[in-house]
Structure formats: C-alpha cells, structure tokens
C-alpha cells in the first residue's frame, strides 16, 4: 500500500482530517508558515551578511528576489517534515485555498523537496465527504496565486522597512508603518478630527400621547406649527453639529424650538382636539440577508456577541478546523447546491412550509475586493447540525458563533418578511391660536418570514429602535382624537460615531482596502503599536496616531490615499489572475520605473523637508487662539504654553481635550521644577510628573545622571531637596551575606531585596531605608512566596459560572485577574474591576483564559495522525513530532526496543533517631510565624494541616509544603 503524507497548516486540522482517513495516510501540520523574509540580522545566512540588500530581505537588483529563511523555532519541525516527505510515496499539500495557503504550499514544496509525487489538494470544509472528494481531484500549485502573495509580502516589507525609519527619526522610536495599517489609522484619525471640530447644538421637539374617542392611546410627534416644520436632527450639519446655513436664514421654513418655547407650546396643545387629516397604509416586504462573508461575520460578531475581530476569527478558525463550518476567509456570498438543500430542509422541518420560498435563493454578489471564488461561511456538511445539538461539544465562544452562522445561513433560504407601514397626519389648534400638525407612524409585521430565525444587528441604536414594530389603532380620515399628554424633550446633536471594529472593517471593505484574511490582524496591529485604544466598543486614536498620520498625509500622500491603496489591491488581483507580473509591478512601486515617483526616491526627496516639530504639533480646534499646543514627544503627548508643560493622561481621548481641561492639566505640577542642587555633582535636582508617575532626576540633560520614582506617600508639589536626595540614593546596599551583596530596590512592582539571583519583597517602601543586614538575612531564610509573605489575599469578587467552578477576581502581581483555580485570565486593557459584571467576567475568561502549562519531558504514549500509538519522550521543540524510537511505514507502527542499564543500588542511609517535640520546641525561632503556627498545630495539638491552612489564607498544597520544609529546618537546628 502506498504511503501518502498530507500536510495542512494546523495540528487541530490535521487531527480532524486524520479521523476520516484509513491506513496508508499520515497527516501532519506545518504549524503555519515555515519560512519568511528574515526578521532580524541574526536570521540572515552568513553568506548574505555582507550584502547591502540582506537587511531588506529582497534583492532589488535581481527583480526583488526574496531571501527566505526558515525561522529558528521551526527548524527542527521542518527537518522532521523533510524526513517524512523523503520516505513518502506521495505528498499532498492541503493548505487553505487562498493566496496565503497557496504560498505556504509552495514554500513547503521548495523546502521539503519530496522524492515522490506532489499534489495540491483544496477543500472548503473538513467533512469526510469533502476530504474524500478533494483527494480524488487534486490539482497543481497555482503559481499565479503564489506570485500575488509573494508580491503582497514584498510590498509590505518595502513599505514597512522604508517608511517606518522615517517615523522613528521624525516622530518617535519604535513606531511602524504598514500598507493597510497606516490607511486604517488615518480613518480613525479623520473621524476623531471630525469629533474635535464638532460643536454640539440643542433642539427640542414634543412627543404627544394621543387618545382616540374609544380611549385607545397611541404616540404622535409635533411636526409643524403655523406651516413651519419643526427642526429635527437631519437639519443639523453632521460635521459641525450646527443648524445648516440655509436653514438659518429668515425666510427658511423651519422652526427651531428651545426649551422655553417647547414647554409653552406643549401646554398650549394639551387636551386640545385634533382631527385625522389623512391615514395611509402601505405594504412592505423585507428580504433576508446574504450568508456571511468574513467581513460581515466580524461585524455581526461585534454587534451581537461583543467579540473583537480577532476573537471572532479565532473562534471561527476552531470551528473550521473541527469540521463544524466551511472556510472562514471568504468574500463570496454563494452557497453550494448541497448547502441550499440542507438549509431548505431545516427551514421546512423547523418552521414549516409557509416559511419556505418556492424557489431556492441565490446570492452571487461579491464584495468590491473579491478574491477567490469560495463559498460563503456556513455550517459544514450536507445536513446542518443544529446549535442545540452542539452545546456539549463546543466552548462558549465557538458555540455562540456557530449559532450566529447557523441562523444566518438558514434565514438566507427563508421567505420574505411582510408587513404594513402606517402614516397618519393630524391637525388642530393650540390655545394661543397657532395651528399645529402632528405625525404618527406605525409598523406592523403580518408574516415574520426569515425574521423568525435572524435579525441583523445595527451600529446605530436609534436606527434599531425605529425598526421596532409599532402598532396604531385603526384611524380614519375625519376622526377626532385628543392630545392628552404632550411631553417636551430636548436633544443634542451628536458628533460622528467613532469607529468600532465592526464599522472599521465595513469601511475598509467598502473602500476596497485589505482582504478578508487581513482585517483582524490590521485592527490588532494598530492597537498593539499604540495607534488606537479601545473605549468600550469604540476605537479611539492616540495623539501618536495624529502625528503619524499628519506626517504621511503631508509628505507621502499616496501611501495613505484610499483610492491608491485600493488600486494596489486590484493590481495584486491582476497578478493573481496572470494579467500582470510581480517584478515589473514592484519596480514601478519602489523605484518609479514606468512613470511616477517610486517609494525610495520619494523618501529621499522628502526626508529633509519633514519638520519634526511641525509634525509633532497637533492642531486642536478647541484650543485655537489660547496659546496652548498639543505635542507628541519622545515620551508621549503633552501640553505646552511657553515654558509651562503638562502631560496628557492616556485615558483622555483627543476629542475630550477642551480649553478648560487643558488649563487644568497645565495648572498641575508639571515636574519641570528645580528643587535644589545635588551636593555630589553640583547638578540641579529636578522634580517631574512623568507619563508613568512622578519622579526626580539629577541633571536636566537627556539622559539625566540619575532618576528615582516617588513613593506612593510622596507629594510632588511639596517634595523637598532632602527627600529627593534620599530617594535618589536608591538602590541601597544593605550588606554582604554568604559572599553576596544584598541590595534594596524600589521596583516596578514594589520594594524588594535582592541577593544574587534571589529576591524577597518588602512590606512597605520605607523599609528600603531601614532594613538592616540581620533583618535581610532573616528574610532570605524564609521561603519565597512573593508579596504578602505567603498570605493569599482574599478574592476581590466571585462570579457564578454555569456547570463549572465559580470565577474569582483576585489581585495579582501584574494587576487584577480572574481564576477558576486552574485557568487564569487577566482583565482587558481599560476594564474596571469595580464595575465588572458576571457576564463581563465570563466573557473575559472565555476569551483570555490560559490553560495550565503542561510539564515537558515525562514519558507519554501518543497517537500519531494515523491513529497508531507510539511510545517515547515528548519533544519541547516540536509537539507534533514522532519520537526517534517510533517509525511509521505504510501506516504501520513499529516500536524500537531500547536497553537501559540499571544503576547499582546505593546502600540505604542509616535512619536518624526521631527527635522528640521537647527537643524541637526550643528551636522554633528559626521558623517564620506561619511555619511556627503550622508546625505547632500539627505536632503539639495533633490538628491536620487541612484544618489550619484556611485560617492562614493558604491553600492546602502550599501549607503542606511549608510544614514539611519547617520540619526539616527544626531538625537541622536541633541536630546542629
């Protein structure tokens, strides 16, 4: 029987596929990409280190020939795959069916160089039928798709490696630029600029509770007064917040009410009769939404589940690899014939014939940036599993996402929703003689159709409210009603909403920028690089993002131009379709061949023209003419007015910086306060309010001679020279013990002592100055338990978790965290522990909970991908690698015998005579207070550790360890 090796990207996918295949197949994973352009100088092969282009990883002179290297952490695994490939009769490369997957397959082929037949296999779902069909109809590697992906990789490298250094030199170190990342950042910044220019305006209207002659109530709204319509939100400029200029003219037919006018008018129409002038009813139909593509899945995951783009894609990846859904990176809304049949079958079974349209629905429209002809994201197989049937199999995130995908897919094959919209106009006279017109509107659903299964989320809560079903009584023209309860209500114009992850993906997709597989990583990158932070669901750009965007817009406009970036995507599509070649395109982009300014000459001509001060100074409309400037410095954003400076808190969003807030920040101690002279150096001692807290330094140069953070009890505004010099004396050498120096440090996580590689925390900061050598030695004799000397802090809160242990909120070394005793999860950035709800806690725990680390090195018995077991030691470098003592040939497993020499037994040590409690008791002084309590309880009173430990705030395992260690100390002391 031939031996076939199938290689996929992930171990989870390999495990699922292996279940469907019999003998003769070995399924392994590449664990993602196996090689890439060098990430650092250390990865450049020796023979290329002298080449000028090696740092870039692209040989410009040879048509941008890439230098690919196997990443250090993949070398052992690649060697293992190479060995399997050499032994196999046939190698099937089964990576994902997109450009990236095609590129991984090509890299595998180039690096492994199999001796047998090589085939390319693609599938869009991991089911037995799909895998068998894919094996039966393989193809060759598509070189055009590979070329397109290689061009994309080269573009990203050229852009990042050439533009990022400009940001380092002109804005701040460690910044980065990216072909799509920088455009997404610009979108966030432009929206925030709009919010900063926005000035809120107020307008009032009147909601009227009307009552028919039969006493039936219904809502209406005042629409006109004396022929002038009341101003509504749509009459205000969405960018400025003010009434549109044409409506501010004297002859404008619009009445803008203030609070007093609204209350007066409400009182004037109260209990007044109104007549129905017209009552119109129109039918409407609403068609179901298309099945999910990557971007719409991310949008709905955000709206309905509160998932970020990365969390959505991580859950979708698990569902795909487990065989539950089809491939999750797609921009096609098409459903296969078997998917349509499966969806229609479930509609009929679950909702009845009435909900099944006569003809199957087809969705063929693609996004502007359509890439490969994949199927839409849907449940896998030709018979969909219902969400209820998978509750026991899937994790919380995966189940909720599957439920969303299942509902959307089934709803896409359901009948239209049908209903009626009602519009009623009522006229009457106020007590002051003014003519008033009311509007009432209603919406009723006669047949819910697909809405029984799925309703799409909305980014705008107000728009979602307008879609609710609102019923009106059966009103007819001429009928009299009473305006029983008029209620004035004030409104403020709202600035343009910030982008959420969902709406940013939607905008990028609409502009034709990026690809389904890149959206999640783009959003993750702009947050990781410090260009944006999440505030609730909104993405708030930082001041650094403003400076970066200003530089790129002002000097490299094309690089962040939306149309230019979209055209780059279209060019890559042309390369994928064989209509354009990679090398000429890269030469045009980078060198400017064929017309236009290339990236390299553009940077060379613009570098000297960039004024760092101008780029770093950000115009804030609300601070105009105040003399206050916002600048981005090396250590973060700050305010400046003359010689006065003030730091801008990280949590303050750009649009929240008002003149009043700026004055307040500048009035705080800026830290640029000389408080005296250092006797040793003669340099000034300066107090500063830094980005990460107040501190003092010696010297005003950068870098200063010395710095020291203030203690929590210190006040920057009243700090004197003596105290500053005392703080600057740290770290302090306490003395020498056991041949090593003991030093007292004020660390990031609190005060501590250090001796060699060992350290002990101190209880409070002032001990840094007072701890003696004897006290330090006693501290190092105690077991190391971190802060609190081993006493576990009480939980801050506890949250119930269905079907499992409760989650507790605790205070840890790196901040508050959640735990169930086995897994831990840190809170998200900006999450407030004080307002954390049980739902928030469960969401964080599911998203970020880390499994306990498994011990490596113990013997274990594993199953290979063919289902056979192999014995051996686990490898820390390659978890999927078979052991040297096990071979798989043609699907059979053979275990190599090994011989182990038995070491000669050492004679047993003579047993010591047990010491009595009377002999041990005088030596209790060598123990810590907790150890004494444990030992005394267990030896003198005969109590169990289990009964004592909770009183000490210790878990039983730790308490037993302490008791054992304390007993050894006592014995040593008594015998010594």
């Amino acid at each position: 029987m031939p031996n076939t090796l199938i290689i996929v990207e992930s171990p989870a996918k390999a495990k699922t596929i292996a279940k469907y295949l019999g003998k003769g197949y070995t399924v392994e994973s590449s664990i993602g990409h196996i090689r890439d352009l060098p990430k650092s100088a250390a990865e450049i092969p020796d023979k290329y280190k002298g080449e000028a282009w090696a740092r870039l990883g692209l040989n410009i002179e040879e048509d941008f020939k890439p230098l690919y290297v196997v990443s250090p952490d993949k070398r052992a695994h690649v060697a293992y795959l190479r060995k399997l490939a050499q032994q196999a009769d046939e190698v099937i490369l089964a990576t994902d069916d997109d450009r990236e997957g095609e590129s991984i397959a090509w890299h595998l082929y180039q690096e492994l160089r199999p001796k047998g037949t090589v085939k390319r296999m693609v599938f869009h779902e991991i089911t037995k039928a799909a895998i068998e069909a894919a094996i039966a109809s393989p193809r060759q590697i598509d070189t055009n798709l590979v070329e397109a992906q290689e061009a994309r990789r080269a573009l990203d490298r050229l852009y990042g490696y050439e533009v990022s250094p400009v940001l380092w030199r002109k804005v701040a170190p460690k910044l980065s630029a990216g072909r799509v990342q920088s455009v997404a950042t610009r979108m966030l910044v432009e929206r925030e600029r709009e919010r900063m220019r926005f000035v809120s305006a107020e307008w009032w209207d009147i909601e009227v509770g009307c009552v028919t002659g039969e006493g039936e109530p219904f809502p209406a709204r005042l629409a006109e007064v004396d022929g002038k319509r009341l101003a509504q939100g749509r009459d205000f400029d969405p960018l400025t917040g003010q009434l549109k200029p044409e409506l501010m003219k004297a002859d404008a037919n619009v009445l803008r009410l203030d609070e007093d006018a609204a209350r007066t008018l409400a009182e004037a129409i109260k209990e007044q009769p109104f007549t129905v002038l017209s009552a119109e009813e129109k039918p409407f139909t609403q068609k179901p939404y298309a099945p999910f593509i990557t971007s719409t899945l991310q949008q709905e995951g955000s709206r309905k589940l509160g998932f970020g783009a990365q969390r959505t894609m991580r859950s979708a990846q698990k569902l795909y690899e487990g065989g539950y859904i089809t491939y999750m990176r797609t921009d096609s809304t098409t459903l296969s014939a078997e998917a349509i049949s499966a969806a229609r079958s479930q509609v009929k079974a679950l909702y009845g014939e009435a909900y099944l349209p006569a003809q199957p629905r087809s969705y063929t429209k693609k996004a502007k940036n359509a890439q490969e002809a994949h199927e839409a994201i849907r449940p896998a197989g030709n018979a969909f599993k219902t969400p209820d049937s998978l509750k026991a199999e899937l994790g919380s995130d995966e189940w909720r996402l599957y439920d969303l995908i299942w509902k959307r897919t089934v709803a896409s094959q359901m009948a239209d929703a049908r209903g009626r919209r009602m519009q009623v106009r009522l006229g009457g006279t106020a007590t002051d003689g003014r003519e008033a017109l009311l509007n009432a509107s209603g919406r009723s659903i006669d047949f819910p159709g697909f809405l029984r299964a799925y309703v799409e989320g909305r980014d705008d809560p107000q728009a979602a409210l307008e879609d609710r079903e609102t019923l009106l009584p059966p009103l007819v023209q001429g009928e009299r009603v009473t305006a029983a309860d008029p209620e004035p209500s004030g409104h403020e114009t709202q600035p343009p909403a910030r982008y959420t992850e969902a709406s940013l993906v939607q905008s990028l997709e609409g502009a034709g920028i990026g690809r389904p597989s890149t959206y999640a990583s783009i959003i993750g990158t702009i947050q990781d690089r410090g260009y944006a932070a999440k505030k609730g669901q909104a993405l708030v750009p930082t001041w650094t993002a403003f400076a970066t965007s200003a530089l790129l817009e002002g000097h490299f406009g094309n690089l962040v131009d939306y149309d230019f970036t979209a055209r780059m995507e279209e060019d890559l599509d042309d390369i994928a379709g064989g209509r354009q070649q990679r090398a000429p395109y890269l030469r045009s982009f980078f060198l400017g061949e064929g017309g236009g300014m290339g990236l390299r000459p553009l940077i060379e001509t613009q570098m000297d023209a960039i004024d760092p001060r101008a780029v770093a100074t950000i115009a804030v409309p609300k601070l105009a003419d105040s003399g206050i400037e916002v600048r981005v410095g090396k250590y973060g954003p700050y305010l400046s007015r003359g010689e006065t400076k003030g730091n801008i808190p990280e949590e303050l969003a750009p649009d929240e910086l008002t003149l009043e807030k700026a004055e307040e920040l500048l009035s705080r101690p800026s830290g640029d306060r000389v408080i005296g002279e250092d006797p040793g150096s003669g340099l000034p001692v300066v107090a500063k309010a830094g980005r990460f807290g107040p501190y003092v330094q010696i010297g005003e140069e950068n870098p200063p001679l010395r710095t020291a953070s203030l203690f929590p009890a210190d006040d920057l505004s009243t700090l004197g020279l003596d105290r500053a010099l005392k703080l600057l004396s740290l770290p302090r050498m306490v003395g020498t013990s056991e041949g090593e120096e003991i030093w007292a440090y004020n660390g990031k996580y609190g005060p501590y002592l250090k001796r060699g590689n060992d350290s002990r925390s101190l209880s409070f900061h002032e001990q840094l100055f007072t701890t003696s050598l004897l006290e330090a030695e006693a501290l190092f004799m105690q077991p190391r338990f971190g802060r609190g000397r081993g006493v576990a802090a009480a939980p801050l809160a506890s949250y119930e978790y269905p079907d499992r242990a409760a989650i507790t909120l605790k205070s840890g070394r790196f901040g508050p965290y959640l735990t169930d005793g086995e897994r831990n999860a840190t809170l998200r950035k900006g999450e407030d522990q004080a307002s954390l709800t049980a739902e928030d806690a469960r969401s964080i725990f599911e998203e970020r909970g880390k499994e306990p680390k498994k011990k490596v090195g113990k013997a274990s018995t594993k199953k290979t991908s063919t289902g056979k077991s192999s014995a051996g030691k686990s490898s820390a470098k390659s978890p999927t690698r078979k052991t040297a003592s096990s071979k798989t040939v043609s699907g059979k497993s053979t275990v190599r015998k090994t011989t182990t020499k038995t070491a000669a037994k050492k004679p047993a040590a003579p047993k010591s005579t047990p010491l009595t409690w009377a002999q041990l008791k005088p030596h209790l002084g060598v123990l810590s207070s907790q150890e004494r309590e444990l030992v005394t309880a267990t030896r003198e009173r005969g109590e169990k550790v289990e009964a004592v430990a909770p009183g000490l705030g210790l878990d039983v395992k730790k308490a037993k360890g302490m008791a054992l260690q304390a007993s050894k100390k006592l014995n040593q002391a008594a015998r010594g």
Side-chain angles (χ1 to χ4, degrees):
M1 180 180 292
N3 176 24
T4 300
L5 172 65
I6 297 178
I7 304 178
V8 296
E9 294 101 326
S10 75
K13 190 191 291 189
K15 183 179 178 182
T16 306
I17 292 174
K19 293 189 302 184
Y20 302 131
L21 301 176
K23 292 181 179 180
Y25 289 97
T26 301
V27 187
E28 287 292 347
S29 75
S30 66
I31 317 180
H33 290 272
I34 62 165
R35 65 180 193 175
D36 193 8
L37 302 175
K39 294 182 174 64
S40 65
E43 291 188 10
I44 299 173
D46 290 339
K47 67 177 181 178
Y48 295 111
K49 285 189 183 290
E51 301 290 345
W53 55 266
R55 180 194 65 87
L56 191 60
L58 297 165
N59 190 339
I60 309 299
E61 302 301 325
E62 294 188 20
D63 283 340
F64 297 86
K65 182 180 178 181
L67 171 60
Y68 287 117
V69 295
V70 176
S71 56
D73 59 332
K74 290 287 183 72
R75 286 171 188 164
H77 188 61
V78 169
Y80 167 62
L81 291 177
R82 187 182 292 115
K83 184 177 179 181
L84 290 181
Q86 295 293 321
Q87 296 172 350
D89 300 313
E90 181 180 61
V91 175
I92 298 179
L93 304 173
T95 50
D96 289 339
D97 185 22
D98 58 14
R99 293 176 190 168
E100 191 170 10
E102 206 72 19
S103 179
I104 293 174
W106 179 78
H107 281 289
L108 284 167
Y109 175 72
Q110 294 291 319
E111 195 65 35
L112 304 184
R113 292 294 178 185
K115 289 183 178 179
T117 307
V118 179
K119 297 177 180 177
R120 177 81 169 97
M121 171 177 117
V122 295
F123 46 85
H124 297 149
E125 62 183 7
I126 305 177
T127 59
K128 186 173 183 179
I131 298 303
E132 288 175 347
I135 289 176
S137 56
R139 63 171 173 82
Q140 296 302 309
I141 293 174
D142 188 329
T143 55
N144 285 335
L145 289 182
V146 174
E147 281 279 289
Q149 182 61 26
E150 301 310 288
R152 176 187 295 276
R153 185 68 189 93
L155 273 179
D156 291 341
R157 174 56 68 99
L158 293 169
Y159 193 117
Y161 271 46
E162 294 294 320
V163 181
S164 295
V166 178
L167 302 182
W168 304 341
R169 290 177 58 183
K170 302 296 184 177
V171 182
K174 299 182 180 179
L175 296 180
S176 73
R179 185 174 54 86
V180 181
Q181 162 200 326
S182 296
V183 175
T185 301
R186 180 189 175 187
M187 283 186 172
L188 298 182
V189 169
E190 286 187 337
R191 181 59 54 86
E192 196 71 9
R193 286 173 183 158
E194 291 173 359
R195 293 174 63 87
M196 292 163 72
R197 289 193 296 268
F198 191 89
V199 179
S200 185
E202 187 181 61
W203 53 276
W204 284 70
D205 65 2
I206 301 174
E207 297 176 9
V208 185
C210 296
V211 180
T212 65
E214 289 74 28
E216 292 184 81
F218 66 94
R221 188 178 294 273
L222 183 65
E224 293 181 13
V225 177
D226 283 341
K228 284 191 172 186
R229 66 178 182 83
L230 262 61
Q232 298 293 309
R234 64 177 180 272
D235 297 317
F236 292 83
D237 189 319
L239 296 180
T240 66
Q242 301 302 299
L243 198 65
K244 293 177 181 177
E246 62 270 22
L247 300 180
M248 298 176 69
K249 298 176 181 178
D251 58 348
N253 195 36
V254 172
L255 174 65
R256 178 183 176 185
L257 296 179
D258 59 19
E259 182 176 2
D260 291 340
R263 295 194 182 282
T264 300
L265 190 54
E267 195 62 35
I269 63 173
K270 188 174 183 179
E271 300 297 339
Q272 294 304 300
F274 278 76
T275 303
V276 176
L277 303 178
S278 64
E280 297 179 358
E281 184 176 275
K282 294 181 179 179
F284 74 88
T285 59
Q286 186 176 348
K287 295 183 181 298
Y289 315 102
F292 281 131
I293 59 176
T294 305
S295 60
T296 53
L297 177 65
Q298 290 174 7
Q299 291 164 39
E300 283 294 88
S302 174
R303 294 176 187 134
K304 285 184 171 291
L305 306 180
F307 289 3
Q310 289 181 318
R311 186 177 175 187
T312 296
M313 294 309 292
R314 186 165 57 246
S315 299
Q317 181 84 32
K318 290 180 181 178
L319 289 172
Y320 169 64
E321 291 174 349
Y324 296 103
I325 65 170
T326 54
Y327 190 51
M328 67 289 163
R329 293 189 182 95
T330 174
D331 44 30
S332 171
T333 54
T334 303
L335 287 176
S336 65
E338 70 169 10
I340 292 173
S341 175
R344 287 175 64 83
S345 295
Q346 287 200 326
V347 171
K348 185 176 180 181
L350 296 174
Y351 302 104
E353 288 276 5
Y355 287 85
L356 190 68
Q359 298 297 324
R361 293 186 182 277
S362 61
Y363 300 89
T364 55
K365 183 181 179 182
K366 289 187 175 184
K368 177 181 177 181
N369 59 348
Q371 187 175 312
E372 283 79 43
H374 293 154
E375 192 175 356
I377 304 170
R378 64 166 177 88
N382 52 18
F384 301 161
K385 294 179 181 178
T386 61
D388 287 343
S389 70
L390 296 176
K391 271 194 172 179
E393 293 182 35
L394 300 175
S396 174
D397 280 9
E398 287 75 49
W399 184 85
R400 293 170 69 192
L401 193 66
Y402 181 86
D403 181 60
L404 197 67
I405 293 168
W406 180 86
K407 287 176 177 175
R408 178 88 165 212
T409 307
V410 170
S412 73
Q413 291 300 316
M414 293 177 71
D416 295 344
R418 299 190 300 274
R420 289 165 293 134
R421 289 192 176 91
M422 290 76 73
Q423 189 69 39
V424 179
R425 292 169 66 83
L426 307 101
T429 304
T431 55
D432 58 7
R434 288 187 286 178
E435 296 296 322
L437 182 71
L438 307 180
N439 276 345
S441 58
R443 183 177 184 267
S444 63
I445 303 295
D446 297 327
F447 175 68
F450 75 94
L451 296 176
R452 276 284 302 275
Y454 189 83
V455 178
E456 189 171 62
R458 302 290 290 271
D459 287 321
D460 181 2
Q462 194 62 41
L465 288 174
E466 291 171 2
D467 273 352
R468 290 184 309 174
E469 186 175 41
T470 306
L471 300 179
L472 294 178
L475 299 168
V476 295
Q477 188 172 349
E479 186 175 347
R480 305 270 287 187
V481 301
T482 302
D485 187 21
E487 182 64 38
S489 58
H491 308 273
E492 282 192 342
T493 54
Q494 298 299 314
R498 287 192 181 100
Y499 284 107
T500 62
E501 291 194 10
S503 58
L504 182 59
V505 166
Q506 190 174 27
S507 294
L508 288 169
E509 181 192 37
I513 297 169
R515 282 294 181 265
S517 60
T518 64
Y519 293 135
S521 63
I522 290 166
I523 291 171
T525 298
I526 60 179
Q527 293 179 73
D528 294 341
R529 298 296 187 185
Y531 291 127
K534 287 194 79 171
K535 192 172 186 179
Q537 291 294 315
L539 290 168
V540 184
T542 61
W543 293 107
T544 302
F546 275 76
T548 301
S549 287
L551 187 153
L552 294 176
E553 289 172 44
H555 299 276
F556 306 100
N558 262 359
L559 297 184
V560 287
D561 180 76
Y562 302 142
D563 291 337
F564 177 78
T565 308
R567 284 197 301 274
M568 292 173 73
E569 298 290 359
E570 294 168 4
D571 291 334
L572 292 171
D573 289 341
D574 287 341
I575 296 173
R579 297 179 295 275
Q580 193 170 164
Q581 297 301 308
R582 179 181 67 91
Y585 176 69
L586 292 176
R587 284 199 298 269
S588 173
F589 169 77
F590 190 65
L591 302 174
E593 292 184 9
M597 177 75 79
L599 179 61
R600 174 168 282 180
L602 180 64
I603 291 174
E604 290 171 352
T605 57
Q606 288 292 310
M607 184 64 83
D608 293 338
I610 300 172
D611 179 4
R613 184 180 179 87
V615 167
T617 303
I618 299 163
V620 179
K622 294 173 184 175
L623 303 183
D625 302 323
S626 68
I628 302 174
E629 294 181 330
V630 174
R631 292 183 188 156
V632 175
K634 186 176 180 181
Y635 302 105
Y638 64 96
L639 293 167
S640 174
R641 180 167 56 189
E643 296 299 316
T644 307
K645 296 177 182 177
N647 291 302
I648 300 176
E650 282 189 1
E651 64 274 11
L652 185 70
D655 77 323
E656 295 171 359
L657 182 60
T658 61
L659 180 58
E660 294 74 21
K661 187 67 179 177
E663 293 284 4
E664 178 193 337
L665 292 172
L666 286 169
S667 67
R668 295 177 184 177
S670 67
D672 292 335
R673 183 171 65 92
V674 177
I675 57 177
E677 185 179 285
D678 173 41
S681 64
L683 295 173
V685 177
V686 186
K688 287 177 172 270
R691 188 181 179 190
F692 302 105
Y695 67 99
V696 288
Q697 69 178 40
I698 296 175
E700 296 182 282
E701 299 80 11
N702 189 16
L705 184 65
R706 200 175 214 176
T707 63
S709 296
L710 271 62
F711 290 176
D714 291 321
D715 185 348
L716 184 67
S717 60
T718 59
L719 189 75
L721 179 62
D722 290 342
R723 179 62 178 175
L725 292 173
K726 191 173 184 180
L727 294 171
L728 286 162
S729 70
L730 295 173
R732 176 178 74 94
M733 194 179 91
V734 178
T736 303
S737 173
E738 298 182 3
E740 291 187 292
E741 295 177 345
I742 299 177
W743 286 82
Y745 288 93
N746 182 18
K748 184 178 180 180
Y749 304 106
Y752 68 99
L753 299 177
K754 186 171 184 180
R755 182 178 65 186
N757 294 323
D758 198 6
S759 63
R760 292 292 184 278
S761 295
L762 295 172
S763 300
F764 50 91
H765 284 78
E766 290 302 324
Q767 286 180 295
L768 291 170
F769 303 119
T770 61
T771 300
S772 67
L773 178 60
L774 193 61
E775 290 171 328
E777 288 177 325
L779 202 55
F780 277 101
M781 288 179 66
Q782 296 183 18
R784 182 178 178 178
F785 296 113
R787 290 187 298 172
R789 310 278 15 105
V791 180
L796 303 174
S798 181
Y799 309 96
E800 291 302 317
Y801 204 138
D803 304 324
R804 65 182 297 172
I807 307 172
T808 55
L809 177 65
K810 292 188 174 183
S811 179
R813 181 182 180 190
F814 302 103
Y817 68 98
L818 296 164
T819 181
D820 65 353
E822 293 184 359
R823 293 194 298 164
N824 297 336
T826 56
L827 301 191
R828 305 183 188 103
K829 187 174 181 180
E831 203 91 47
D832 182 7
Q833 67 186 62
S835 60
L836 200 69
T837 65
E839 186 177 349
D840 293 335
R842 287 193 289 269
S843 169
I844 295 169
F845 202 71
E846 288 295 337
E847 178 186 351
R848 304 167 74 98
K850 294 181 179 178
E851 297 289 349
K853 292 183 178 179
K854 296 179 180 178
K855 292 183 179 179
V856 178
K858 292 189 177 181
S860 61
T861 302
K862 294 185 178 180
K863 283 192 175 181
T864 68
S865 52
T866 57
K868 302 287 183 180
S869 44
S870 61
K873 291 184 179 180
S874 63
S875 167
K877 288 187 178 180
S878 178
T880 60
R881 184 174 180 177
K882 293 183 177 64
T883 64
S885 61
S886 173
K887 282 187 179 180
T888 304
V889 182
S890 301
K892 296 182 180 179
S893 175
T894 62
V895 180
R896 192 181 298 164
K897 292 184 178 179
T898 60
T899 58
T900 306
K901 291 184 179 180
T902 305
K905 290 185 178 180
K906 293 182 179 180
K911 292 184 178 179
S912 302
T913 305
L915 299 179
T916 64
W917 179 244
Q919 291 172 301
L920 296 174
K921 195 170 182 180
H923 300 281
L924 285 175
V926 302
L927 303 182
S928 68
S929 59
Q930 285 184 340
E931 289 174 327
R932 281 200 299 275
E933 190 168 344
L934 284 169
V935 172
T936 303
T938 53
R939 288 182 180 263
E940 191 172 50
R941 299 198 297 270
E943 295 178 10
K944 293 183 178 180
V945 171
E946 283 85 344
V948 179
L952 296 174
L954 298 170
D955 60 68
V956 175
K957 185 176 180 182
K958 183 179 285 187
K960 286 182 176 178
M962 283 182 66
L964 180 62
Q965 192 169 2
S967 298
K968 289 179 180 178
K969 279 187 186 179
L970 279 175
N971 276 278
Q972 289 171 355
R975 294 181 189 279

